[in-house]
Amino acid sequence: MKFPVKDRLAMVRGLTLLALAYLLSVPGAYAQAPGEVGNAPQTEQAMAWLERLGPALNMTSYQGVFVYARGDQVHSMRIAHRFRDGRVEERLVMQDGGSGEIVRRGMNVVCVLPDQGRIRLDEVIPSGPFAEAFTSQLMPFGQWYLPELVGEDRVAGYDVVTVALTPKDEHRYSHRLWLEKSTGLLVKSHVRDVDGAVLEHFQFTSLEITDDIPDAEFEIQTRGREITRSLDIEAARQSPVGRMSGWTLNWQPEGFVPAAVPRSGKGKAVAFSDGLAAFSVFVEPVTGLKMPTGASRIGATTVYMRELSVADRPFLIAVVGEIPPGTARKVADAVSIDDEMARGWSARDH
């Protein structure tokens, strides 16, 4: 089942667990406990907390309900997440706006959307709980953001610390993270623009951190045939250069590097990340109805589209991700397509 670029983005972003949270995963092992940092500067204390975040997202067992808001869209989902015998198990169930669920057992994932059919996860942008392809390759985002420990709070009944991440240039948004003290689990987050306005907001409204979650919580309960995908991490680590053959990205914001290769129907696509934010570049031949060009934004997610004619063949360039509209436009304008590739696509279409 195929969907236009913009629809694929909306479907995944509207349904996945902690869509921002898993892109925040920090590679590496546990750091020393923040309580042991002593009189270290605020930045060092903040980094100590951030180094716990990545492992906590996978290795902490919990269940609860969270809300995810971007723009005027608000979604609520129920989640059960368990780490047992070295394997992640997870089930997410939509609580509003239609039915659907996502279930993961280790490296096997099934997505069920009964209201809109089923979509294969390898046809969408990697995000949410399925982003190991990103997190295994990311550069340390501390080079591009200034982390700071800014206070303490309570969220969903748990004591938390608050970490602010301020970008060092205009090509990124700022972030604020609330981490549960005993585990480092992300329980709330904001994505903010340069004026401090909240563009996206994730927060648990109820939460229980516990290893005592029954097996029944991880069983698929939606009727229908299962479509399962295995998350091939080794394949995801392979260079995405092959997906860029025939086209070139002549500029991207400093620090954003190729991180994964989302599939893109007839076209080619590569995702880029700086370790915190991510965007994907899609290059596809124009077929059928034309897509509207220009920029649109939902929350912190920008979609910028432009058409490019090469060898008398129209192509759609789409940049989708958590970057400001001006940055997305600059990236899209930096895409060039080789004449040979354009002629090759034309030949395949005839």
Side-chain angles (χ1 to χ4, degrees):
M1 187 171 186
K2 303 289 186 181
F3 298 89
V5 169
K6 193 170 181 180
D7 290 346
R8 280 184 248 142
L9 170 80
M11 201 164 293
V12 175
R13 299 295 273 168
L15 190 69
T16 49
L17 149 79
L18 314 180
L20 169 66
Y22 279 83
L23 289 177
L24 299 177
S25 297
V26 181
Y30 283 96
Q32 60 182 335
E36 300 171 3
V37 172
N39 295 321
Q42 291 285 319
T43 295
E44 293 182 18
Q45 294 185 52
M47 286 304 299
W49 279 105
L50 292 172
E51 288 178 10
R52 300 183 69 193
L53 171 58
L57 287 170
N58 276 333
M59 299 174 69
T60 303
S61 297
Y62 57 89
Q63 58 185 350
V65 175
F66 66 86
V67 294
Y68 178 67
R70 54 181 188 142
D72 59 357
Q73 299 183 5
V74 181
H75 301 277
S76 176
M77 298 193 74
R78 178 163 52 89
I79 179 172
H81 179 100
R82 182 169 66 185
F83 184 77
R84 187 171 68 176
D85 299 328
R87 189 176 85 155
V88 172
E89 297 174 294
E90 190 169 73
R91 179 168 175 259
L92 300 101
V93 182
M94 296 177 65
Q95 300 293 284
D96 49 28
S99 58
E101 64 179 283
I102 298 175
V103 177
R104 171 182 173 182
R105 300 186 187 96
M107 292 293 101
N108 294 317
V109 181
V110 61
C111 179
V112 185
L113 298 174
D115 292 343
Q116 305 179 53
R118 293 168 179 260
I119 54 174
R120 293 180 59 88
L121 294 176
D122 55 5
E123 293 178 351
V124 298
I125 299 169
S127 63
F130 319 118
E132 279 92 348
F134 281 115
T135 60
S136 64
Q137 303 183 57
L138 300 185
M139 296 177 65
F141 64 77
Q143 297 181 37
W144 322 113
Y145 301 84
L146 176 64
E148 183 181 7
L149 193 64
V150 294
E152 300 183 357
D153 205 343
R154 278 180 63 81
V155 175
Y158 288 87
D159 292 330
V160 301
V161 297
T162 308
V163 176
L165 290 164
T166 304
K168 296 181 179 180
D169 61 33
E170 72 276 15
H171 300 304
R172 298 162 172 84
Y173 291 124
S174 64
H175 299 259
R176 186 156 295 202
L177 314 177
W178 285 257
L179 309 180
E180 196 274 326
K181 279 188 174 182
S182 64
T183 62
L185 181 68
L186 181 70
V187 295
K188 178 179 176 180
S189 70
H190 284 174
V191 183
R192 303 183 180 191
D193 66 14
V194 66
D195 298 319
V198 177
L199 302 176
E200 292 190 3
H201 173 207
F202 151 80
Q203 180 175 346
F204 274 102
T205 55
S206 66
L207 175 66
E208 181 184 12
I209 299 175
T210 175
D211 293 323
D212 188 20
I213 305 176
D215 293 343
E217 288 294 326
F218 303 96
E219 296 298 324
I220 297 172
Q221 298 181 17
T222 303
R223 286 186 175 183
R225 181 174 60 91
E226 289 189 18
I227 297 179
T228 302
R229 179 196 170 192
S230 177
L231 299 177
D232 188 344
I233 303 305
E234 291 305 317
R237 288 174 178 168
Q238 296 175 5
S239 171
V241 170
R243 296 288 283 180
M244 295 180 71
S245 61
W247 65 277
T248 304
L249 184 61
N250 298 303
W251 179 88
Q252 70 249 31
E254 186 177 6
F256 280 89
V257 297
V261 184
R263 294 192 181 180
S264 179
K266 292 184 178 180
K268 299 189 175 186
V270 173
F272 297 81
S273 180
D274 66 354
L276 181 61
F279 65 87
S280 291
V281 180
F282 295 82
V283 180
E284 302 186 355
V286 175
T287 58
L289 295 176
K290 284 194 172 185
M291 298 287 287
T293 57
S296 61
R297 191 177 76 180
I298 304 176
T301 301
T302 296
V303 179
Y304 186 87
M305 297 187 180
R306 66 181 282 248
E307 278 197 16
L308 178 64
S309 182
V310 181
D312 297 323
R313 184 71 164 90
F315 289 87
L316 177 69
I317 311 299
V319 177
V320 181
E322 294 171 335
I323 53 178
T327 302
R329 177 176 181 174
K330 193 171 180 180
V331 171
D333 288 345
V335 173
S336 60
I337 299 175
D338 296 347
D339 288 352
E340 183 177 349
M341 186 182 81
R343 286 192 292 268
W345 250 319
S346 297
R348 289 197 301 268
D349 292 341
H350 290 87

